Amino acid sequence: MSGQSANFATMFRVLMQMQFARLRRSWRPYIVVSAVMPAGIVLLLHLTNPRMSPSERLNIVAGAILLAESIATIAMLSQYVAWLKVSRALDHYRVLPVSLEMLVVALTSVYGIFAWPGVLLISLEGVYLDHIPMHFSPLIIVFMLLTGVAMGAVGTIIGLLAPDEGLAGLMGNLVMMAVLFLGMVPVKSLGPWTWALWIFPSTGPLAILKGLMFFGPFNTWSHWLGLILYASIALIVSSYFIKRPT
Amino acid sequence: MTVLEFDQLSKRYGKVWANRDISVRIDLGSIVGLLGPNGAGKTTLLRQLVGLTRPTTGKVRIGGRLVVPGKRWVKQIISYLPQHPLALGDLTVEEAIRSSALLRGQSWRDADAHTQELLEMLDLAPLRRRQVARLSGGEHRLVGIASVVVAPTPIVALDEPTNELDPLMRHRVWDFIQNLRHPERIILLVSHNVLEAEQVLDRVLIMSHGRIRHDGSPQSLRQDAGDLLKVAVTVGHDPQRLEGDLASLGAEIRRHGLLVEFTALRVEALALLARWLADPGLVEGVTINEPSLEDAYLTLRQQWAGDTLPEETSS
């Protein structure tokens, strides 16, 4: 007795297509909401506090970019994964001969990409409203994908552990709020609790993003390493929970 | 040749047993029906087979190889149609079927050809560009069936395949399942539709309270139920007397206006009819038929309903 399964290239392509298809029904929440809220915060702070220092402006724009990413990958993905679990639609993937690690990568990277229009909008605000001299590096694309996977894996874990969509949404929003505060109002030190900052998927990316977009040179290799490690561990943990039978 | 084996399989949720001590061997080339009331443990058994539910005790083996939940080889061998919707809602009907074929290892050309074939066979061609989430329940079910059979595996497990389908489509799906029959394949299906399932089944497993209560051919189920007759009586006067007599028999009774249908042991049914016919005007018409598998099943269910089991069960 033997059966077949797709090769990895076909599997990845089909799984990605299945996730992108979500835009047909839900493009408004995914693209508009993840763009409007953080872009609105940047605009609001620009209008209400015109005397901000360049470093404060920089923090706000970088934080807003990560907020856009976290809305799509943590708040929205956690709810979607919780729905998949509660409706048992997730079983469909579990019984197909596909790599569930690849499914998590497809889910998280696609949800990360849903935030890209917002990232572009916020970057334009940074350039034209706050006059921040930004540099484009192809590494930004790698960075955005990797951050999407790291944050999305956290969103996936929340969705898989939450008993229902409502609680997944609540937990996802709490983590997203933490990303918001730790990103836009960076905490320098929490005393003996400083290590706790690294639990959040936004701490490392914030440092990398500033280096990439605003200072140009690629000088944050330790944070890159941290981000890769974070994304890998989060991916392993979320894959474990997705595979776990009841 | 025994290929699929459930060995002392049990699943317990807290204090409740979903199924208990299930030991069954299934040979290649057979179509096996899992029948039984709601909560009998049928779906749990299928979920244990495909690795979605971890057994509390016992093992599942395929070709002597232990089934470990989540293993790729298990997923390659078994395809499963659950009762609940698949994660295909965002795709169009055509994409949903083709994606399933591709993920089961078919080439793009084969996947496309098989998809077109199934779209025509299941009357889904006019809906090919419609999103699956926007389909009716029956249409959604057909897409699910197409997604499973587009690349049939050596073991096909179908949970209520004809649920929500209209009568014409149900017949077509049963024909379809019949056509899936292959000497190198096992089809295991859960159904409540005993009457229709009878046409395709080689073997019937009836579950009740988490245990297998009957295992054999559809014919053997009829034998187990006893030498039955299915009788339809058009009542003249005093219908209470008829119902009183039938209640004392413990027969399965269905009443539609003046028509009373019941299935009972041949000897008892004939004795009762002789008594009624001796009373002029009590009965205006009688039709006698051989019982179907469903009648035998319902009779046995009634017998088992009185049985007491040590622990409560649920699926």
Side-chain angles (χ1 to χ4, degrees):
Chain A
M1 263 192 169
S2 64
Q4 285 181 303
S5 58
N7 61 44
F8 279 93
T10 305
M11 200 185 288
F12 189 64
R13 183 173 163 183
V14 174
L15 288 174
M16 290 291 277
Q17 187 198 10
M18 288 173 84
Q19 312 319 317
F20 270 121
R22 286 209 62 68
L23 285 179
R24 288 179 184 153
R25 269 201 296 173
S26 317
W27 67 271
R28 287 179 190 88
Y30 290 135
I31 290 183
V32 178
V33 176
S34 65
V36 167
M37 187 177 150
I41 291 173
V42 172
L43 182 64
L44 193 71
L45 289 175
H46 173 82
L47 294 173
T48 55
N49 196 357
R51 291 184 184 172
M52 276 188 294
S53 68
S55 72
E56 282 172 326
R57 287 168 198 274
L58 193 146
N59 273 331
I60 286 167
V61 171
I65 286 172
L66 289 176
L67 179 63
E69 194 82 359
S70 71
I71 289 172
T73 55
I74 299 177
M76 290 178 179
L77 181 56
S78 62
Q79 285 186 60
Y80 176 58
V81 170
W83 174 81
L84 280 176
K85 187 186 80 166
V86 172
S87 69
R88 290 190 162 182
L90 191 59
D91 290 349
H92 179 223
Y93 290 115
R94 283 173 168 160
V95 298
L96 281 171
V98 297
S99 153
L100 291 175
E101 287 84 357
M102 194 178 279
L103 170 67
V104 178
V105 170
L107 270 171
T108 53
S109 49
V110 166
Y111 269 72
I113 290 169
F114 288 164
W116 287 14
V119 170
L120 182 67
L121 183 64
I122 296 158
S123 305
L124 291 174
E125 279 184 324
V127 171
Y128 291 106
L129 289 180
D130 292 322
H131 308 292
I132 299 168
M134 289 195 195
H135 302 267
F136 177 78
S137 157
L139 272 175
I140 286 173
I141 293 170
V142 179
F143 166 79
M144 292 305 297
L145 283 172
L146 209 52
T147 305
V149 172
M151 286 187 173
V154 171
T156 306
I157 295 167
I158 292 171
L160 289 169
L161 294 181
D164 55 55
E165 275 177 85
L167 270 175
L170 178 71
M171 289 157 67
N173 276 292
L174 286 175
V175 176
M176 189 192 80
M177 292 308 285
V179 171
L180 171 69
F181 287 118
L182 296 174
M184 290 181 146
V185 191
V187 181
K188 294 278 184 245
S189 170
L190 290 175
W193 294 94
T194 304
W195 60 269
L197 286 175
W198 297 96
I199 292 173
F200 292 96
S202 53
T203 307
L206 191 67
I208 299 170
L209 189 61
K210 288 181 194 171
L212 271 176
M213 289 184 84
F214 309 109
F215 303 126
F218 172 56
N219 58 0
T220 48
W221 65 269
S222 60
H223 290 301
W224 275 95
L225 203 64
L227 178 59
I228 292 167
L229 200 66
Y230 194 107
S232 308
I233 293 170
L235 199 63
I236 291 166
V237 175
S238 54
S239 303
Y240 165 77
F241 283 117
I242 239 177
K243 284 177 186 174
R244 194 174 53 161
T246 54
Chain B
M1 181 187 153
T2 299
V3 168
L4 176 59
E5 185 186 0
F6 298 99
D7 182 12
Q8 298 277 302
L9 206 63
S10 300
K11 178 67 186 176
R12 190 168 71 176
Y13 295 103
K15 290 180 179 174
V16 178
W17 289 93
N19 56 24
R20 251 192 124 162
D21 298 330
I22 306 284
S23 290
V24 178
R25 292 158 179 262
I26 299 174
D27 299 336
L28 273 177
S30 50
I31 303 183
V32 179
L34 270 173
L35 311 178
N38 291 327
K42 309 178 296 289
T43 296
T44 303
L45 188 64
L46 285 196
R47 289 177 62 84
Q48 285 167 319
L49 167 66
V50 298
L52 289 172
T53 298
R54 193 187 292 280
T56 306
T57 58
K59 293 175 172 65
V60 182
R61 291 188 191 88
I62 297 173
R65 206 168 163 192
L66 189 67
V67 169
V68 179
K71 287 287 174 194
R72 179 77 65 85
W73 72 269
V74 177
K75 298 180 189 181
Q76 286 176 340
I77 282 178
I78 309 172
S79 46
Y80 172 56
L81 175 72
Q83 279 183 50
H84 42 79
L86 307 176
L88 299 168
D90 301 314
L91 302 175
T92 65
V93 169
E94 190 172 13
E95 286 170 345
I97 302 170
R98 191 172 41 225
S99 301
S100 304
L102 289 168
L103 291 175
R104 288 223 166 259
Q106 290 193 353
S107 67
W108 285 84
R109 185 185 290 176
D110 286 351
D112 206 44
H114 290 147
T115 300
Q116 301 312 320
E117 199 181 320
L118 279 165
L119 285 171
E120 295 299 330
M121 287 172 82
L122 293 173
D123 279 352
L124 289 168
L127 304 171
R128 68 174 69 226
R129 306 227 182 281
R130 178 125 15 125
Q131 247 181 286
V132 174
R134 298 187 195 284
L135 299 176
S136 70
E139 291 163 346
H140 201 287
R141 197 71 188 145
L142 285 176
V143 174
I145 292 167
S147 304
V148 169
V149 301
V150 70
T153 48
I155 298 175
V156 179
L158 307 169
D159 199 346
E160 305 279 7
T162 57
N163 253 12
E164 297 187 74
L165 298 183
D166 64 59
L168 181 71
M169 211 35 90
R170 282 209 305 270
H171 280 288
R172 203 170 288 185
V173 168
W174 286 119
D175 286 346
F176 216 82
I177 292 170
Q178 183 74 277
N179 290 338
L180 278 179
R181 184 189 291 280
H182 190 278
E184 294 294 314
R185 181 173 297 135
I186 289 170
I187 300 171
L188 193 56
L189 59 93
V190 167
S191 181
H192 281 295
N193 202 326
V194 186
L195 205 59
E196 290 175 4
E198 183 181 5
Q199 300 159 17
V200 299
L201 299 181
D202 302 313
R203 186 172 164 191
V204 178
L205 300 174
I206 298 189
M207 293 186 70
S208 173
H209 297 90
R211 294 176 192 268
I212 291 186
R213 307 300 302 264
H214 172 91
D215 179 0
S217 64
Q219 291 72 26
S220 73
L221 181 70
R222 286 200 191 86
Q223 284 163 9
D224 272 18
D227 189 11
L228 299 173
L229 267 191
K230 186 180 184 181
V231 182
V233 177
T234 310
V235 182
H237 66 81
D238 201 5
Q240 282 78 20
R241 184 183 148 194
L242 261 70
E243 285 183 14
D245 289 347
L246 289 169
S248 65
L249 270 187
E252 172 79 23
I253 308 166
R254 274 170 275 183
R255 189 166 175 190
H256 321 279
L258 289 175
L259 189 75
V260 177
E261 286 182 337
F262 67 95
T263 307
L265 285 173
R266 185 181 296 266
V267 182
E268 290 174 338
L270 289 176
L272 208 57
L273 277 176
R275 222 165 64 213
W276 290 343
L277 290 169
D279 186 347
L282 181 64
V283 169
E284 288 188 350
V286 177
T287 313
I288 300 174
N289 282 309
E290 285 301 316
S292 64
L293 184 69
E294 185 174 56
D295 298 318
Y297 165 69
L298 289 171
T299 304
L300 282 172
R301 253 188 76 174
Q302 205 152 41
Q303 290 172 17
W304 296 331
D307 294 358
T308 50
L309 282 160
E311 272 137 298
E312 195 189 350
T313 55
S314 168
S315 75

